[in-house]
């Protein structure tokens, strides 16, 4: 089993979109996948067709000790993809866990026994708080979705400092799975410039292909399904399929 978290302190970079669609693409390749929604906004939850407002329990209940992870796993409409959902109950979790021992590794401890999955994908919130720290400390590696714009490059040094902090404090073996360029438009000079700079610094850690700007990708969450179900022939679907194939190969090679 391999656990990968998707993390960027900047919001709106295609993080949740990537979690859902990489998960769906892995599932279509006969991999058993569990997506863990760690964002109080619950976008992975709603993006997979589960109504946040009607949840009887969520990852919040695991953190406060009311439920086990096995009790809150939902099957989704995606082939071979299950979900641990989240909703706004998570918003105040930092205060509730303030005096809890080992609060940085609660997720890791709760996921340890889930051996029935090939991949666990963790959707972290766009901030460095206790939820993201839990996601990073529970993972073997991290995928960093990076929007192709100038400000995204500005934030990369801070992002790498954050990962180094996690390595030094709670998880020395955390690796970078890859940098995933999102919202890419080859006709745009800035996109090409960002791609060049990122490849110059991260070299073979830049995942291929970049994820294009694609209307089908934007539409799919409103239907509660991945772009692979919404339009499997779209550019976005084809790109995520290639990324999933590369992840599987990287897992075999490691």
């Amino acid at each position: 089993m391999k656990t990968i978290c998707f993390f960027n302190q900047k919001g709106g970079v295609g993080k949740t979109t990537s979690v859902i669609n990489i998960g769906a693409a892995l599932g279509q390749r006969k991999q058993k996948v569990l997506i863990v929604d760690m964002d109080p906004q619950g976008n992975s939850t709603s993006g997979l067709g589960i109504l946040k407002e009607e949840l009887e329990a969520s990852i919040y209940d695991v953190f406060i000790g009311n439920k086990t992870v096995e009790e809150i796993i939902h099957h989704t409409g995606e082939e071979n993809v299950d979900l641990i959902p989240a909703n706004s109950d998570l918003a105040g979790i930092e205060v509730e866990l303030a005096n809890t021992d080992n609060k940085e590794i609660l997720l890791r401890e709760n996921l340890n026994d889930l051996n029935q999955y090939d991949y666990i994908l963790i959707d972290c919130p766009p901030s460095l708080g206790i939820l993201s720290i839990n996601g990073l400390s529970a993972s073997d590696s991290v995928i960093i979705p990076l929007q192709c714009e100038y400000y995204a490059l500005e934030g990369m040094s801070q992002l790498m400092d954050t990962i180094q902090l996690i390595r030094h404090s709670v998880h020395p073996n955390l690796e970078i799975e890859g940098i995933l360029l999102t919202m890419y438009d080859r006709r745009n000079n800035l996109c090409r410039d960002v791609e060049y700079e990122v490849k110059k610094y991260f070299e073979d850690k830049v995942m291929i292909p970049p994820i294009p700007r694609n209307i089908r990708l934007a539409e799919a969450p409103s239907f509660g399904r991945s772009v692979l179900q919404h339009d499997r022939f779209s550019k976005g679907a084809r790109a995520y399929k290639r990324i999933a194939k590369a992840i599987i190969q990287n897992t075999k090679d490691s």
Side-chain angles (χ1 to χ4, degrees), residues 1-4 19 23 26 31-37 48 69 72-76 80-85 111 114 116-123:
M1 181 178 74
K2 186 171 188 177
T3 303
I4 304 172
V19 170
L26 289 169
Q31 304 297 300
K32 287 286 292 178
V33 179
L34 176 67
I35 292 175
V36 183
D37 193 347
L48 285 166
V69 287
I72 63 167
I73 289 174
H74 288 245
H75 300 301
T76 74
N80 294 317
V81 178
D82 291 343
L83 171 75
I84 292 179
L111 295 179
L114 294 180
Q116 67 268 42
Y117 295 100
D118 298 300
Y119 290 92
I120 296 178
L121 308 182
I122 302 174
D123 186 7

PDB file of all heavy atoms in Angstrom, residues 1-4 19 23 26 31-37 48 69 72-76 80-85 111 114 116-123:
ATOM      1  N   MET A   1       0.843  -1.204   0.000  1.00  0.00           N
ATOM      2  CA  MET A   1       0.000   0.000   0.000  1.00  0.00           C
ATOM      3  C   MET A   1       0.874   1.249   0.000  1.00  0.00           C
ATOM      4  O   MET A   1       1.895   1.300   0.679  1.00  0.00           O
ATOM      5  CB  MET A   1      -0.900   0.004   1.246  1.00  0.00           C
ATOM      6  CG  MET A   1      -1.841   1.196   1.325  1.00  0.00           C
ATOM      7  SD  MET A   1      -2.903   1.120   2.777  1.00  0.00           S
ATOM      8  CE  MET A   1      -1.747   1.556   4.068  1.00  0.00           C
ATOM      9  N   LYS A   2       0.470   2.226  -0.781  1.00  0.00           N
ATOM     10  CA  LYS A   2       1.197   3.493  -0.836  1.00  0.00           C
ATOM     11  C   LYS A   2       0.236   4.629  -0.508  1.00  0.00           C
ATOM     12  O   LYS A   2      -0.876   4.679  -1.031  1.00  0.00           O
ATOM     13  CB  LYS A   2       1.805   3.700  -2.224  1.00  0.00           C
ATOM     14  CG  LYS A   2       2.696   4.927  -2.327  1.00  0.00           C
ATOM     15  CD  LYS A   2       3.426   4.953  -3.658  1.00  0.00           C
ATOM     16  CE  LYS A   2       4.474   6.057  -3.693  1.00  0.00           C
ATOM     17  NZ  LYS A   2       5.232   6.042  -4.955  1.00  0.00           N
ATOM     18  N   THR A   3       0.682   5.529   0.361  1.00  0.00           N
ATOM     19  CA  THR A   3      -0.135   6.671   0.754  1.00  0.00           C
ATOM     20  C   THR A   3       0.489   7.949   0.203  1.00  0.00           C
ATOM     21  O   THR A   3       1.671   8.223   0.436  1.00  0.00           O
ATOM     22  CB  THR A   3      -0.255   6.764   2.290  1.00  0.00           C
ATOM     23  OG1 THR A   3      -0.792   5.540   2.795  1.00  0.00           O
ATOM     24  CG2 THR A   3      -1.171   7.907   2.688  1.00  0.00           C
ATOM     25  N   ILE A   4      -0.309   8.706  -0.535  1.00  0.00           N
ATOM     26  CA  ILE A   4       0.163   9.938  -1.171  1.00  0.00           C
ATOM     27  C   ILE A   4      -0.755  11.080  -0.738  1.00  0.00           C
ATOM     28  O   ILE A   4      -1.976  10.981  -0.856  1.00  0.00           O
ATOM     29  CB  ILE A   4       0.134   9.828  -2.707  1.00  0.00           C
ATOM     30  CG1 ILE A   4       0.943   8.617  -3.184  1.00  0.00           C
ATOM     31  CG2 ILE A   4       0.655  11.112  -3.348  1.00  0.00           C
ATOM     32  CD1 ILE A   4       0.793   8.334  -4.683  1.00  0.00           C
ATOM     33  N   VAL A  19      -6.825  14.967  -6.930  1.00  0.00           N
ATOM     34  CA  VAL A  19      -7.071  13.813  -6.050  1.00  0.00           C
ATOM     35  C   VAL A  19      -8.169  12.928  -6.628  1.00  0.00           C
ATOM     36  O   VAL A  19      -8.016  11.701  -6.750  1.00  0.00           O
ATOM     37  CB  VAL A  19      -7.472  14.278  -4.632  1.00  0.00           C
ATOM     38  CG1 VAL A  19      -7.963  13.106  -3.794  1.00  0.00           C
ATOM     39  CG2 VAL A  19      -6.308  14.958  -3.936  1.00  0.00           C
ATOM     40  N   GLY A  23      -7.346   9.395  -8.472  1.00  0.00           N
ATOM     41  CA  GLY A  23      -7.972   8.255  -7.803  1.00  0.00           C
ATOM     42  C   GLY A  23      -8.829   7.442  -8.755  1.00  0.00           C
ATOM     43  O   GLY A  23      -8.753   6.207  -8.791  1.00  0.00           O
ATOM     44  N   LEU A  26      -6.590   5.569 -11.253  1.00  0.00           N
ATOM     45  CA  LEU A  26      -5.978   4.400 -10.619  1.00  0.00           C
ATOM     46  C   LEU A  26      -6.997   3.277 -10.473  1.00  0.00           C
ATOM     47  O   LEU A  26      -6.698   2.101 -10.705  1.00  0.00           O
ATOM     48  CB  LEU A  26      -5.416   4.777  -9.246  1.00  0.00           C
ATOM     49  CG  LEU A  26      -4.162   5.660  -9.227  1.00  0.00           C
ATOM     50  CD1 LEU A  26      -3.892   6.158  -7.809  1.00  0.00           C
ATOM     51  CD2 LEU A  26      -2.950   4.901  -9.751  1.00  0.00           C
ATOM     52  N   GLN A  31      -6.676  -0.752  -9.455  1.00  0.00           N
ATOM     53  CA  GLN A  31      -6.076  -0.496  -8.153  1.00  0.00           C
ATOM     54  C   GLN A  31      -7.178  -0.140  -7.158  1.00  0.00           C
ATOM     55  O   GLN A  31      -8.087   0.620  -7.483  1.00  0.00           O
ATOM     56  CB  GLN A  31      -5.071   0.659  -8.241  1.00  0.00           C
ATOM     57  CG  GLN A  31      -3.977   0.466  -9.281  1.00  0.00           C
ATOM     58  CD  GLN A  31      -3.090  -0.714  -8.993  1.00  0.00           C
ATOM     59  OE1 GLN A  31      -2.444  -0.779  -7.957  1.00  0.00           O
ATOM     60  NE2 GLN A  31      -3.049  -1.664  -9.925  1.00  0.00           N
ATOM     61  N   LYS A  32      -7.086  -0.686  -5.955  1.00  0.00           N
ATOM     62  CA  LYS A  32      -8.040  -0.326  -4.903  1.00  0.00           C
ATOM     63  C   LYS A  32      -7.591   0.975  -4.259  1.00  0.00           C
ATOM     64  O   LYS A  32      -6.473   1.081  -3.754  1.00  0.00           O
ATOM     65  CB  LYS A  32      -8.117  -1.442  -3.862  1.00  0.00           C
ATOM     66  CG  LYS A  32      -8.856  -2.680  -4.327  1.00  0.00           C
ATOM     67  CD  LYS A  32     -10.365  -2.435  -4.379  1.00  0.00           C
ATOM     68  CE  LYS A  32     -10.946  -2.262  -2.973  1.00  0.00           C
ATOM     69  NZ  LYS A  32     -12.414  -1.980  -3.030  1.00  0.00           N
ATOM     70  N   VAL A  33      -8.473   1.972  -4.275  1.00  0.00           N
ATOM     71  CA  VAL A  33      -8.105   3.327  -3.869  1.00  0.00           C
ATOM     72  C   VAL A  33      -9.016   3.815  -2.744  1.00  0.00           C
ATOM     73  O   VAL A  33     -10.237   3.624  -2.789  1.00  0.00           O
ATOM     74  CB  VAL A  33      -8.210   4.305  -5.063  1.00  0.00           C
ATOM     75  CG1 VAL A  33      -7.855   5.723  -4.630  1.00  0.00           C
ATOM     76  CG2 VAL A  33      -7.308   3.848  -6.207  1.00  0.00           C
ATOM     77  N   LEU A  34      -8.416   4.457  -1.751  1.00  0.00           N
ATOM     78  CA  LEU A  34      -9.158   5.157  -0.714  1.00  0.00           C
ATOM     79  C   LEU A  34      -8.762   6.619  -0.755  1.00  0.00           C
ATOM     80  O   LEU A  34      -7.575   6.952  -0.646  1.00  0.00           O
ATOM     81  CB  LEU A  34      -8.853   4.583   0.671  1.00  0.00           C
ATOM     82  CG  LEU A  34      -9.515   5.319   1.851  1.00  0.00           C
ATOM     83  CD1 LEU A  34     -11.041   5.142   1.808  1.00  0.00           C
ATOM     84  CD2 LEU A  34      -8.948   4.843   3.180  1.00  0.00           C
ATOM     85  N   ILE A  35      -9.749   7.501  -0.926  1.00  0.00           N
ATOM     86  CA  ILE A  35      -9.512   8.946  -0.861  1.00  0.00           C
ATOM     87  C   ILE A  35      -9.921   9.433   0.519  1.00  0.00           C
ATOM     88  O   ILE A  35     -11.018   9.133   1.005  1.00  0.00           O
ATOM     89  CB  ILE A  35     -10.294   9.681  -1.960  1.00  0.00           C
ATOM     90  CG1 ILE A  35      -9.716   9.325  -3.337  1.00  0.00           C
ATOM     91  CG2 ILE A  35     -10.273  11.190  -1.743  1.00  0.00           C
ATOM     92  CD1 ILE A  35     -10.484   9.914  -4.514  1.00  0.00           C
ATOM     93  N   VAL A  36      -9.018  10.169   1.174  1.00  0.00           N
ATOM     94  CA  VAL A  36      -9.286  10.719   2.501  1.00  0.00           C
ATOM     95  C   VAL A  36      -9.429  12.231   2.372  1.00  0.00           C
ATOM     96  O   VAL A  36      -8.464  12.929   2.036  1.00  0.00           O
ATOM     97  CB  VAL A  36      -8.163  10.379   3.500  1.00  0.00           C
ATOM     98  CG1 VAL A  36      -8.511  10.903   4.892  1.00  0.00           C
ATOM     99  CG2 VAL A  36      -7.918   8.879   3.540  1.00  0.00           C
ATOM    100  N   ASP A  37     -10.625  12.735   2.616  1.00  0.00           N
ATOM    101  CA  ASP A  37     -10.891  14.172   2.538  1.00  0.00           C
ATOM    102  C   ASP A  37     -10.544  14.798   3.885  1.00  0.00           C
ATOM    103  O   ASP A  37     -11.176  14.517   4.900  1.00  0.00           O
ATOM    104  CB  ASP A  37     -12.363  14.411   2.204  1.00  0.00           C
ATOM    105  CG  ASP A  37     -12.633  15.852   1.790  1.00  0.00           C
ATOM    106  OD1 ASP A  37     -11.751  16.710   2.001  1.00  0.00           O
ATOM    107  OD2 ASP A  37     -13.736  16.121   1.262  1.00  0.00           O
ATOM    108  N   LEU A  48     -17.278  13.634  -5.297  1.00  0.00           N
ATOM    109  CA  LEU A  48     -17.510  12.205  -5.537  1.00  0.00           C
ATOM    110  C   LEU A  48     -18.969  11.822  -5.303  1.00  0.00           C
ATOM    111  O   LEU A  48     -19.300  10.652  -5.144  1.00  0.00           O
ATOM    112  CB  LEU A  48     -16.582  11.369  -4.646  1.00  0.00           C
ATOM    113  CG  LEU A  48     -15.115  11.345  -5.111  1.00  0.00           C
ATOM    114  CD1 LEU A  48     -14.210  10.800  -4.017  1.00  0.00           C
ATOM    115  CD2 LEU A  48     -14.967  10.530  -6.397  1.00  0.00           C
ATOM    116  N   VAL A  69     -11.993   4.435  11.347  1.00  0.00           N
ATOM    117  CA  VAL A  69     -12.032   4.748   9.912  1.00  0.00           C
ATOM    118  C   VAL A  69     -12.880   3.740   9.146  1.00  0.00           C
ATOM    119  O   VAL A  69     -13.578   4.090   8.194  1.00  0.00           O
ATOM    120  CB  VAL A  69     -10.611   4.831   9.303  1.00  0.00           C
ATOM    121  CG1 VAL A  69      -9.902   6.082   9.751  1.00  0.00           C
ATOM    122  CG2 VAL A  69      -9.785   3.599   9.622  1.00  0.00           C
ATOM    123  N   ILE A  72     -16.585   4.649   8.753  1.00  0.00           N
ATOM    124  CA  ILE A  72     -17.050   5.824   7.998  1.00  0.00           C
ATOM    125  C   ILE A  72     -16.664   5.769   6.525  1.00  0.00           C
ATOM    126  O   ILE A  72     -16.858   6.734   5.795  1.00  0.00           O
ATOM    127  CB  ILE A  72     -16.528   7.135   8.620  1.00  0.00           C
ATOM    128  CG1 ILE A  72     -14.993   7.204   8.562  1.00  0.00           C
ATOM    129  CG2 ILE A  72     -17.027   7.295  10.046  1.00  0.00           C
ATOM    130  CD1 ILE A  72     -14.447   8.578   8.863  1.00  0.00           C
ATOM    131  N   ILE A  73     -16.118   4.649   6.076  1.00  0.00           N
ATOM    132  CA  ILE A  73     -15.748   4.525   4.664  1.00  0.00           C
ATOM    133  C   ILE A  73     -17.005   4.422   3.798  1.00  0.00           C
ATOM    134  O   ILE A  73     -17.909   3.644   4.086  1.00  0.00           O
ATOM    135  CB  ILE A  73     -14.841   3.303   4.440  1.00  0.00           C
ATOM    136  CG1 ILE A  73     -13.459   3.553   5.047  1.00  0.00           C
ATOM    137  CG2 ILE A  73     -14.696   3.004   2.937  1.00  0.00           C
ATOM    138  CD1 ILE A  73     -12.537   2.354   5.000  1.00  0.00           C
ATOM    139  N   HIS A  74     -17.053   5.230   2.747  1.00  0.00           N
ATOM    140  CA  HIS A  74     -18.161   5.217   1.793  1.00  0.00           C
ATOM    141  C   HIS A  74     -17.678   4.659   0.461  1.00  0.00           C
ATOM    142  O   HIS A  74     -16.581   4.978   0.004  1.00  0.00           O
ATOM    143  CB  HIS A  74     -18.686   6.647   1.547  1.00  0.00           C
ATOM    144  CG  HIS A  74     -19.442   7.226   2.696  1.00  0.00           C
ATOM    145  ND1 HIS A  74     -20.782   7.526   2.618  1.00  0.00           N
ATOM    146  CD2 HIS A  74     -19.042   7.551   3.942  1.00  0.00           C
ATOM    147  CE1 HIS A  74     -21.176   8.036   3.781  1.00  0.00           C
ATOM    148  NE2 HIS A  74     -20.140   8.051   4.593  1.00  0.00           N
ATOM    149  N   HIS A  75     -18.495   3.850  -0.163  1.00  0.00           N
ATOM    150  CA  HIS A  75     -18.237   3.473  -1.547  1.00  0.00           C
ATOM    151  C   HIS A  75     -18.696   4.621  -2.449  1.00  0.00           C
ATOM    152  O   HIS A  75     -19.664   5.315  -2.145  1.00  0.00           O
ATOM    153  CB  HIS A  75     -18.978   2.189  -1.904  1.00  0.00           C
ATOM    154  CG  HIS A  75     -18.589   1.012  -1.060  1.00  0.00           C
ATOM    155  ND1 HIS A  75     -17.288   0.547  -0.993  1.00  0.00           N
ATOM    156  CD2 HIS A  75     -19.312   0.215  -0.234  1.00  0.00           C
ATOM    157  CE1 HIS A  75     -17.227  -0.474  -0.177  1.00  0.00           C
ATOM    158  NE2 HIS A  75     -18.447  -0.698   0.310  1.00  0.00           N
ATOM    159  N   THR A  76     -18.011   4.831  -3.540  1.00  0.00           N
ATOM    160  CA  THR A  76     -18.363   5.907  -4.464  1.00  0.00           C
ATOM    161  C   THR A  76     -18.807   5.311  -5.798  1.00  0.00           C
ATOM    162  O   THR A  76     -18.733   4.103  -6.012  1.00  0.00           O
ATOM    163  CB  THR A  76     -17.169   6.853  -4.706  1.00  0.00           C
ATOM    164  OG1 THR A  76     -16.206   6.199  -5.547  1.00  0.00           O
ATOM    165  CG2 THR A  76     -16.506   7.252  -3.389  1.00  0.00           C
ATOM    166  N   ASN A  80     -13.639   1.016  -8.035  1.00  0.00           N
ATOM    167  CA  ASN A  80     -12.568   0.695  -7.078  1.00  0.00           C
ATOM    168  C   ASN A  80     -12.143   1.872  -6.203  1.00  0.00           C
ATOM    169  O   ASN A  80     -11.043   1.860  -5.642  1.00  0.00           O
ATOM    170  CB  ASN A  80     -11.321   0.145  -7.804  1.00  0.00           C
ATOM    171  CG  ASN A  80     -11.581  -1.185  -8.463  1.00  0.00           C
ATOM    172  OD1 ASN A  80     -12.222  -2.058  -7.890  1.00  0.00           O
ATOM    173  ND2 ASN A  80     -11.096  -1.343  -9.687  1.00  0.00           N
ATOM    174  N   VAL A  81     -12.992   2.875  -6.051  1.00  0.00           N
ATOM    175  CA  VAL A  81     -12.637   4.052  -5.254  1.00  0.00           C
ATOM    176  C   VAL A  81     -13.591   4.198  -4.061  1.00  0.00           C
ATOM    177  O   VAL A  81     -14.804   4.312  -4.243  1.00  0.00           O
ATOM    178  CB  VAL A  81     -12.665   5.343  -6.099  1.00  0.00           C
ATOM    179  CG1 VAL A  81     -12.342   6.568  -5.226  1.00  0.00           C
ATOM    180  CG2 VAL A  81     -11.677   5.257  -7.254  1.00  0.00           C
ATOM    181  N   ASP A  82     -13.016   4.193  -2.858  1.00  0.00           N
ATOM    182  CA  ASP A  82     -13.765   4.468  -1.631  1.00  0.00           C
ATOM    183  C   ASP A  82     -13.360   5.829  -1.091  1.00  0.00           C
ATOM    184  O   ASP A  82     -12.358   6.421  -1.508  1.00  0.00           O
ATOM    185  CB  ASP A  82     -13.506   3.390  -0.580  1.00  0.00           C
ATOM    186  CG  ASP A  82     -14.111   2.044  -0.942  1.00  0.00           C
ATOM    187  OD1 ASP A  82     -14.992   2.017  -1.832  1.00  0.00           O
ATOM    188  OD2 ASP A  82     -13.704   1.030  -0.347  1.00  0.00           O
ATOM    189  N   LEU A  83     -14.136   6.314  -0.115  1.00  0.00           N
ATOM    190  CA  LEU A  83     -13.926   7.668   0.410  1.00  0.00           C
ATOM    191  C   LEU A  83     -14.128   7.713   1.912  1.00  0.00           C
ATOM    192  O   LEU A  83     -15.071   7.127   2.447  1.00  0.00           O
ATOM    193  CB  LEU A  83     -14.901   8.648  -0.252  1.00  0.00           C
ATOM    194  CG  LEU A  83     -14.946  10.068   0.336  1.00  0.00           C
ATOM    195  CD1 LEU A  83     -13.707  10.863  -0.085  1.00  0.00           C
ATOM    196  CD2 LEU A  83     -16.218  10.797  -0.090  1.00  0.00           C
ATOM    197  N   ILE A  84     -13.230   8.412   2.598  1.00  0.00           N
ATOM    198  CA  ILE A  84     -13.468   8.866   3.962  1.00  0.00           C
ATOM    199  C   ILE A  84     -13.848  10.343   3.847  1.00  0.00           C
ATOM    200  O   ILE A  84     -13.016  11.173   3.468  1.00  0.00           O
ATOM    201  CB  ILE A  84     -12.234   8.685   4.859  1.00  0.00           C
ATOM    202  CG1 ILE A  84     -11.973   7.195   5.073  1.00  0.00           C
ATOM    203  CG2 ILE A  84     -12.433   9.379   6.199  1.00  0.00           C
ATOM    204  CD1 ILE A  84     -10.744   6.896   5.923  1.00  0.00           C
ATOM    205  N   PRO A  85     -15.098  10.686   4.141  1.00  0.00           N
ATOM    206  CA  PRO A  85     -15.591  12.036   3.844  1.00  0.00           C
ATOM    207  C   PRO A  85     -15.240  13.067   4.916  1.00  0.00           C
ATOM    208  O   PRO A  85     -14.822  12.725   6.033  1.00  0.00           O
ATOM    209  CB  PRO A  85     -17.108  11.817   3.778  1.00  0.00           C
ATOM    210  CG  PRO A  85     -17.352  10.712   4.770  1.00  0.00           C
ATOM    211  CD  PRO A  85     -16.157   9.803   4.666  1.00  0.00           C
ATOM    212  N   LEU A 111      -4.914   4.999  10.010  1.00  0.00           N
ATOM    213  CA  LEU A 111      -4.867   4.384   8.681  1.00  0.00           C
ATOM    214  C   LEU A 111      -3.985   3.143   8.627  1.00  0.00           C
ATOM    215  O   LEU A 111      -4.001   2.414   7.635  1.00  0.00           O
ATOM    216  CB  LEU A 111      -4.361   5.396   7.642  1.00  0.00           C
ATOM    217  CG  LEU A 111      -5.232   6.621   7.368  1.00  0.00           C
ATOM    218  CD1 LEU A 111      -4.560   7.520   6.335  1.00  0.00           C
ATOM    219  CD2 LEU A 111      -6.635   6.235   6.905  1.00  0.00           C
ATOM    220  N   LEU A 114      -5.407  -0.352   7.378  1.00  0.00           N
ATOM    221  CA  LEU A 114      -6.209  -0.455   6.154  1.00  0.00           C
ATOM    222  C   LEU A 114      -5.386  -1.099   5.037  1.00  0.00           C
ATOM    223  O   LEU A 114      -4.958  -0.442   4.093  1.00  0.00           O
ATOM    224  CB  LEU A 114      -6.706   0.931   5.723  1.00  0.00           C
ATOM    225  CG  LEU A 114      -7.702   1.606   6.659  1.00  0.00           C
ATOM    226  CD1 LEU A 114      -8.104   2.967   6.095  1.00  0.00           C
ATOM    227  CD2 LEU A 114      -8.940   0.740   6.866  1.00  0.00           C
ATOM    228  N   GLN A 116      -6.324  -3.233   2.816  1.00  0.00           N
ATOM    229  CA  GLN A 116      -7.060  -3.710   1.644  1.00  0.00           C
ATOM    230  C   GLN A 116      -6.900  -2.787   0.433  1.00  0.00           C
ATOM    231  O   GLN A 116      -7.409  -3.094  -0.644  1.00  0.00           O
ATOM    232  CB  GLN A 116      -8.555  -3.870   1.972  1.00  0.00           C
ATOM    233  CG  GLN A 116      -9.311  -2.574   2.271  1.00  0.00           C
ATOM    234  CD  GLN A 116      -9.340  -2.230   3.745  1.00  0.00           C
ATOM    235  OE1 GLN A 116      -8.333  -2.364   4.429  1.00  0.00           O
ATOM    236  NE2 GLN A 116     -10.498  -1.785   4.234  1.00  0.00           N
ATOM    237  N   TYR A 117      -6.190  -1.680   0.599  1.00  0.00           N
ATOM    238  CA  TYR A 117      -6.049  -0.708  -0.490  1.00  0.00           C
ATOM    239  C   TYR A 117      -4.647  -0.726  -1.087  1.00  0.00           C
ATOM    240  O   TYR A 117      -3.659  -0.962  -0.397  1.00  0.00           O
ATOM    241  CB  TYR A 117      -6.377   0.708   0.009  1.00  0.00           C
ATOM    242  CG  TYR A 117      -7.826   0.863   0.415  1.00  0.00           C
ATOM    243  CD1 TYR A 117      -8.196   0.818   1.757  1.00  0.00           C
ATOM    244  CD2 TYR A 117      -8.818   1.010  -0.539  1.00  0.00           C
ATOM    245  CE1 TYR A 117      -9.529   0.942   2.139  1.00  0.00           C
ATOM    246  CE2 TYR A 117     -10.149   1.130  -0.179  1.00  0.00           C
ATOM    247  CZ  TYR A 117     -10.492   1.097   1.156  1.00  0.00           C
ATOM    248  OH  TYR A 117     -11.815   1.204   1.517  1.00  0.00           O
ATOM    249  N   ASP A 118      -4.590  -0.458  -2.389  1.00  0.00           N
ATOM    250  CA  ASP A 118      -3.300  -0.282  -3.051  1.00  0.00           C
ATOM    251  C   ASP A 118      -2.784   1.140  -2.874  1.00  0.00           C
ATOM    252  O   ASP A 118      -1.574   1.346  -2.735  1.00  0.00           O
ATOM    253  CB  ASP A 118      -3.433  -0.598  -4.548  1.00  0.00           C
ATOM    254  CG  ASP A 118      -3.848  -2.032  -4.799  1.00  0.00           C
ATOM    255  OD1 ASP A 118      -3.114  -2.940  -4.379  1.00  0.00           O
ATOM    256  OD2 ASP A 118      -4.936  -2.233  -5.393  1.00  0.00           O
ATOM    257  N   TYR A 119      -3.714   2.105  -2.895  1.00  0.00           N
ATOM    258  CA  TYR A 119      -3.335   3.510  -2.749  1.00  0.00           C
ATOM    259  C   TYR A 119      -4.308   4.222  -1.813  1.00  0.00           C
ATOM    260  O   TYR A 119      -5.524   4.015  -1.898  1.00  0.00           O
ATOM    261  CB  TYR A 119      -3.343   4.243  -4.103  1.00  0.00           C
ATOM    262  CG  TYR A 119      -2.236   3.813  -5.023  1.00  0.00           C
ATOM    263  CD1 TYR A 119      -2.428   2.785  -5.940  1.00  0.00           C
ATOM    264  CD2 TYR A 119      -0.979   4.425  -4.971  1.00  0.00           C
ATOM    265  CE1 TYR A 119      -1.409   2.377  -6.786  1.00  0.00           C
ATOM    266  CE2 TYR A 119       0.040   4.014  -5.807  1.00  0.00           C
ATOM    267  CZ  TYR A 119      -0.180   2.991  -6.710  1.00  0.00           C
ATOM    268  OH  TYR A 119       0.838   2.589  -7.538  1.00  0.00           O
ATOM    269  N   ILE A 120      -3.754   5.042  -0.932  1.00  0.00           N
ATOM    270  CA  ILE A 120      -4.552   5.992  -0.154  1.00  0.00           C
ATOM    271  C   ILE A 120      -4.127   7.388  -0.592  1.00  0.00           C
ATOM    272  O   ILE A 120      -2.940   7.723  -0.567  1.00  0.00           O
ATOM    273  CB  ILE A 120      -4.341   5.814   1.360  1.00  0.00           C
ATOM    274  CG1 ILE A 120      -4.831   4.436   1.813  1.00  0.00           C
ATOM    275  CG2 ILE A 120      -5.075   6.915   2.134  1.00  0.00           C
ATOM    276  CD1 ILE A 120      -4.624   4.159   3.300  1.00  0.00           C
ATOM    277  N   LEU A 121      -5.085   8.186  -1.042  1.00  0.00           N
ATOM    278  CA  LEU A 121      -4.830   9.556  -1.502  1.00  0.00           C
ATOM    279  C   LEU A 121      -5.462  10.522  -0.508  1.00  0.00           C
ATOM    280  O   LEU A 121      -6.660  10.436  -0.234  1.00  0.00           O
ATOM    281  CB  LEU A 121      -5.404   9.778  -2.904  1.00  0.00           C
ATOM    282  CG  LEU A 121      -5.003   8.771  -3.984  1.00  0.00           C
ATOM    283  CD1 LEU A 121      -5.618   9.174  -5.320  1.00  0.00           C
ATOM    284  CD2 LEU A 121      -3.490   8.646  -4.101  1.00  0.00           C
ATOM    285  N   ILE A 122      -4.664  11.436   0.026  1.00  0.00           N
ATOM    286  CA  ILE A 122      -5.133  12.356   1.062  1.00  0.00           C
ATOM    287  C   ILE A 122      -5.232  13.764   0.491  1.00  0.00           C
ATOM    288  O   ILE A 122      -4.247  14.317  -0.023  1.00  0.00           O
ATOM    289  CB  ILE A 122      -4.192  12.345   2.274  1.00  0.00           C
ATOM    290  CG1 ILE A 122      -4.085  10.921   2.854  1.00  0.00           C
ATOM    291  CG2 ILE A 122      -4.677  13.321   3.344  1.00  0.00           C
ATOM    292  CD1 ILE A 122      -3.051  10.783   3.965  1.00  0.00           C
ATOM    293  N   ASP A 123      -6.421  14.341   0.584  1.00  0.00           N
ATOM    294  CA  ASP A 123      -6.670  15.711   0.117  1.00  0.00           C
ATOM    295  C   ASP A 123      -6.522  16.664   1.296  1.00  0.00           C
ATOM    296  O   ASP A 123      -7.407  16.771   2.133  1.00  0.00           O
ATOM    297  CB  ASP A 123      -8.086  15.797  -0.479  1.00  0.00           C
ATOM    298  CG  ASP A 123      -8.363  17.150  -1.117  1.00  0.00           C
ATOM    299  OD1 ASP A 123      -7.421  17.966  -1.207  1.00  0.00           O
ATOM    300  OD2 ASP A 123      -9.517  17.389  -1.512  1.00  0.00           O
TER     301      ASP A 123
END
